[in-house]
Amino acid sequence: MKILVLNGPNLNMLGIREPGIYGKNTFADLLALIEKTAREENLEIEQYQSNHEGCLVDKIQEAYGKFDGIVINPAAYTHTSVAILDALKAVSIPAVEVHISDVDAREPFRQISYAGMACVHTIKGRGFEGYREAILYLKEHYA
Ligand code: DQA
């Protein structure tokens, strides 16, 4: 099974960025955790991070016909991007939405998720572990 893991803007700043909310572990730690999960679960995983909405849309489009599942943390674009929602709908690849923090317990604007409308499942507030859970969810339901 081939899974694409996508991270949106400012997630490359993990470890530096608001550690009280996102923790002290770095983005490199997150990449390593996902690579370890791929090895343990015998999955082919590609990871991509961008601060640019169009780059994320391009990557979702390029996944068509190549990947069996997508794990996506669109970060701030979660709450604004109809383009990412439409791209996920266009490719129809089962996608799981992940948020490190519990967005429901934060500002009201974080409680709207456009991308989530095209996702088969959402995991929030589980820290980095949420990515592992998302990968396992795709393996269990779509491998
Ligand atoms: C986030 C939550 C978003 O509201 C925020 O803009 C992010 C990160 C999370 O992982 O908790 O950048 O997606």
Side-chain angles (χ1 to χ4, degrees):
M1 181 180 202
K2 284 188 76 174
I3 295 176
L4 176 64
V5 178
L6 294 175
N7 277 300
N10 302 306
L11 291 169
N12 55 314
M13 297 289 284
L14 286 169
I16 298 164
R17 170 189 191 199
E18 300 181 87
I21 295 175
Y22 300 110
K24 284 185 185 154
N25 291 329
T26 65
F27 185 58
D29 294 333
L30 176 62
L31 297 178
L33 171 78
I34 291 166
E35 273 166 27
K36 183 169 171 270
T37 305
R39 281 194 305 276
E40 286 168 357
E41 299 296 326
N42 233 335
L43 298 165
E44 223 178 299
I45 295 188
E46 184 180 321
Q47 306 201 54
Y48 178 78
Q49 187 275 332
S50 179
N51 294 324
H52 306 279
E53 184 177 19
C55 294
L56 293 162
V57 169
D58 285 345
K59 202 71 191 175
I60 293 166
Q61 290 186 8
E62 286 163 17
Y64 181 73
K66 294 191 191 124
F67 288 90
D68 310 300
I70 294 175
V71 171
I72 183 165
N73 183 348
Y77 290 138
T78 306
H79 319 299
T80 61
S81 180
V82 177
I84 290 175
L85 165 64
D86 284 349
L88 290 169
K89 283 171 129 178
V91 297
S92 267
I93 299 170
V96 177
E97 175 189 20
V98 173
H99 298 288
I100 296 166
S101 66
D102 180 7
V103 279
D104 291 339
R106 298 180 64 191
E107 303 94 323
F109 67 84
R110 293 188 202 274
Q111 286 158 39
I112 293 164
S113 171
Y114 289 100
M117 293 174 196
C119 290
V120 294
H121 188 53
T122 297
I123 296 169
K124 33 194 158 185
R126 306 273 302 132
F128 286 11
E129 178 61 22
Y131 288 83
R132 218 180 81 82
E133 290 175 12
I135 290 163
L136 295 180
Y137 183 92
L138 286 172
K139 186 180 175 189
E140 190 185 332
H141 293 86
Y142 298 96

